[in-house]
Structures are given as structure tokens and as C-alpha cells.
């Protein structure tokens, strides 16, 4: 399989992060997403919709020969926007409450959760708010979204928010960093809302496509992870194990643990998705 993906989260501070991954059976196609709900909007439900809506849409989107991945990537984002526009804030609020319970259980021992809350989990749970459930917010539930569509010859990103993307090549000994929107200067910054319940797309995300580089590793992160510490951790990990499939443990969880050791802990939800491309 050429593409390999992993994800992990410590989603226990605000309960407003989500990640979602999908790979085709042959590993030639995939989709990954990280979403971070805006705290002032109680955005945990919006982030769930953004992340899982994106990978679902990319799984169903037509793929094949054509002018790159950008048209399909835009269709995936447009789907997320359409579903968010038709959604109801009260439903997102209940979903956020279920999420918080799930991630507290998934990270009970303080370890990163590598199995995100998914649609199949929701079918097994009673979607009812806990006793005394009440939501206060400044605006409808909203979220950022960083996501990628993975293909056999290239990959395409959408950056809608204040997270970032890291790229690293152990063969070329290079590491680069792409910031999303300017980091929030204050909690609830309007700049950080790119997907909003009842409205849809609320910002202008950046779309771009990169050619395939065998051995390259890409990491998408919510803003709760220190960028410098993650870059250092990724570089160290790749120096020790250039091919992540040989690591023997989940690379995303390993990276979150390494960053926690470097920074002394997390003051916000911390979520990353790792995608690696190997020619064989």
C-alpha cells in the first residue's frame, strides 16, 4: 500500500477537536481531516461534521484521470459546507456532549486516543443530552478544517483555519511548515470560523496541490500542538525510524507523546493526522 495514515488526539480539554481518515483498499486513494471547533461557539459538533463530512464526501467523490485532485477536493469541501448549512445547532450541541464523554473514556489513562468517534459509534449510543445540559455561546457552532485528498500521483490540501501542516523527508533531510490562518489573537476570533452550523462555509480556505514525493511524511495538526516542538519531534522520529510502518506503534500517538514530554503538557485539545507515502 503506497499511502499509510494514522491519527491521534488528546481531546479532553474542551472536547472540540476531531480527526477522520479513510484509505481505499489498495492504498492508492485516501482522505484525512483535522477539525477544531471554536470554543466561544461551543463548536464540538461542528468539528465532528467538518472532519467526518469531508472524508465521507471524498470517499464518494469521482476519482480518475483528469486535471489533478483540486476539482474533487473542492467538491469534498462544498459537501461539508452544504451539510453544515442545513444542520441544526441543537443537534450539534447534543453531539458535542456525546463526544466529550467518548474522548474522556478513550483517553482514560492519559494516552492519546487513536480511534476517533465515528458514525458507527453514534449508532450504538443514545444521543440524548446529560442531565442539566445547557449551552452558552456567542455564535452558532463553528469549526476550522484542515484536510487532504490523497491520490496515486499527488495530494491536495485545503487549509481553513489556524492549524498547520508539516512536511518532512528523511531521505532529503528537509522539513517545512505551512501555517493556516493567522493564529487566533483572542478566543472566538472570527478569523478562525470556516465551517458554521446553519451557514456553511464562513471563510475563504486555501486549496493547493503537491506532487508526490516517495518517503515524504505529512502531518496536519490542530493549533493545540506546539508547531516547533512537533517539527522537532517529527525530525527526531524520522531519524530513528525513516519508514514509519516499521515503528511498531502508532506514529501519531508517538508524536503527541513526544511533544507532551518536550512542552510539559497541553493546554488545549491536541490532534494530529499523519500521512506517509511509500512507493512499495
Amino acid at each position: 500500500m503506497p499511502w499509510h495514515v494514522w491519527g491521534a488526539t488528546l481531546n479532553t480539554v474542551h472536547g472540540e477537536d476531531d480527526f477522520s481518515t479513510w484509505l481505499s483498499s489498495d492504498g492508492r486513494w485516501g482522505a484525512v481531516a483535522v477539525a477544531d471547533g471554536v470554543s466561544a461557539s461551543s463548536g464540538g459538533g461542528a468539528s465532528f461534521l467538518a472532519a467526518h463530512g469531508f472524508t465521507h464526501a471524498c470517499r464518494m467523490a469521482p476519482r480518475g484521470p483528469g486535471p489533478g485532485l483540486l476539482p474533487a477536493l473542492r467538491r469534498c469541501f462544498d459537501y461539508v459546507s452544504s451539510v453544515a448549512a442545513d444542520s441544526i445547532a441543537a443537534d450539534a450541541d447534543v453531539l458535542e456532549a456525546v463526544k466529550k464523554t467518548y474522548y474522556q473514556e478513550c483517553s482514560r489513562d492519559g494516552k492519546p486516543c487513536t480511534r476517533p468517534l465515528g458514525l458507527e459509534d453514534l449508532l450504538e449510543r443514545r444521543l440524548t443530552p446529560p442531565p442539566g445540559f445547557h449551552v452558552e455561546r456567542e455564535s452558532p457552532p463553528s469549526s476550522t478544517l484542515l484536510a487532504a485528498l490523497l491520490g496515486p500521483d499527488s495530494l491536495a490540501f485545503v487549509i481553513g483555519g489556524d492549524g498547520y501542516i508539516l512536511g518532512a523527508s528523511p531521505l532529503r533531510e528537509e522539513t517545512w511548515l505551512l501555517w493556516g490562518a493567522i493564529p487566533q489573537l483572542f478566543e472566538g476570533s472570527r478569523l478562525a470560523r470556516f465551517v458554521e452550523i446553519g451557514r456553511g462555509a464562513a471563510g475563504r480556505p486555501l486549496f493547493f496541490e503537491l506532487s508526490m514525493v516517495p518517503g515524504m511524511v505529512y502531518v496536519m495538526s490542530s493549533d493545540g500542538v506546539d508547531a516547533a516542538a512537533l517539527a522537532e519531534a517529527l525530525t527526531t522520529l524520522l531519524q530513528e525510524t525513516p519508514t514509519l510502518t516499521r515503528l511498531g506503534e502508532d506514529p501519531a500517538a508517538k508524536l503527541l507523546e513526544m511533544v507532551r514530554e518536550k512542552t510539559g503538557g497541553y493546554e488545549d485539545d491536541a490532534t494530529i493526522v499523519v500521512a506517509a507515502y511509500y512507493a512499495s
Side-chain angles (χ1 to χ4, degrees):
M1 294 176 63
W3 280 109
H4 299 264
V5 299
W6 304 268
T9 181
L10 281 164
N11 194 16
T12 54
V13 179
H14 302 296
E16 291 172 344
D17 276 13
D18 279 280
F19 75 91
S20 180
T21 66
W22 165 73
L23 273 182
S24 63
S25 58
D26 59 6
R28 297 177 68 248
W29 295 92
V32 294
V34 172
D36 183 358
V38 179
S39 297
S41 73
S42 189
S47 61
F48 180 93
L49 183 153
H52 291 279
F54 179 86
T55 54
H56 173 75
C58 286
R59 184 174 184 174
M60 304 302 293
R63 301 181 297 274
L69 298 179
L70 287 179
L73 180 73
R74 290 180 182 274
R75 286 194 294 270
C76 298
F77 185 82
D78 288 345
Y79 174 84
V80 172
S81 176
S82 175
V83 172
D86 293 336
S87 296
I88 299 172
D91 294 337
D93 294 339
V94 175
L95 178 55
E96 180 181 43
V98 173
K99 262 183 58 177
K100 289 181 177 180
T101 299
Y102 176 87
Y103 283 112
Q104 290 290 345
E105 295 174 353
C106 190
S107 301
R108 182 170 296 172
D109 298 326
K111 298 294 184 179
C113 177
T114 58
R115 185 180 185 276
L117 177 68
L119 296 177
E120 65 280 1
D121 299 296
L122 297 180
L123 295 176
E124 298 174 0
R125 294 170 177 262
R126 296 181 61 190
L127 293 183
T128 56
F133 177 73
H134 178 66
V135 175
E136 292 185 3
R137 57 167 164 257
E138 299 174 2
S139 62
S142 53
S143 177
T144 63
L145 176 64
L146 280 79
L149 176 60
L150 314 175
D153 302 308
S154 63
L155 71 164
F157 290 100
V158 54
I159 302 182
D162 52 359
Y164 55 90
I165 299 171
L166 273 169
S169 171
L171 299 178
R172 301 185 179 187
E173 297 184 348
E174 68 175 34
T175 302
W176 49 259
L177 171 69
L178 295 175
W179 282 101
I182 297 175
Q184 296 182 51
L185 301 181
F186 54 93
E187 187 173 330
S189 169
R190 186 65 193 175
L191 184 63
R193 298 173 187 168
F194 279 77
V195 177
E196 188 172 283
I197 298 297
R199 183 180 176 190
R204 293 175 181 249
L206 172 66
F207 297 90
F208 62 98
E209 187 168 359
L210 298 176
S211 299
M212 196 61 61
V213 179
M216 197 77 180
V217 176
Y218 307 90
V219 180
M220 292 190 303
S221 175
S222 65
D223 67 342
V225 185
D226 182 87
L230 180 58
E232 183 179 346
L234 178 61
T235 300
T236 299
L237 184 62
L238 290 176
Q239 288 174 345
E240 298 172 352
T241 311
T243 304
L244 293 181
T245 53
R246 300 174 182 172
L247 184 62
E249 58 183 301
D250 189 294
K254 177 67 173 178
L255 285 169
L256 283 184
E257 293 279 19
M258 292 174 69
V259 171
R260 179 160 56 182
E261 292 175 1
K262 290 178 180 294
T263 60
Y266 293 105
E267 298 180 356
D268 192 3
D269 300 323
T271 305
I272 63 173
V273 166
V274 180
Y277 180 86
Y278 302 116
S280 59

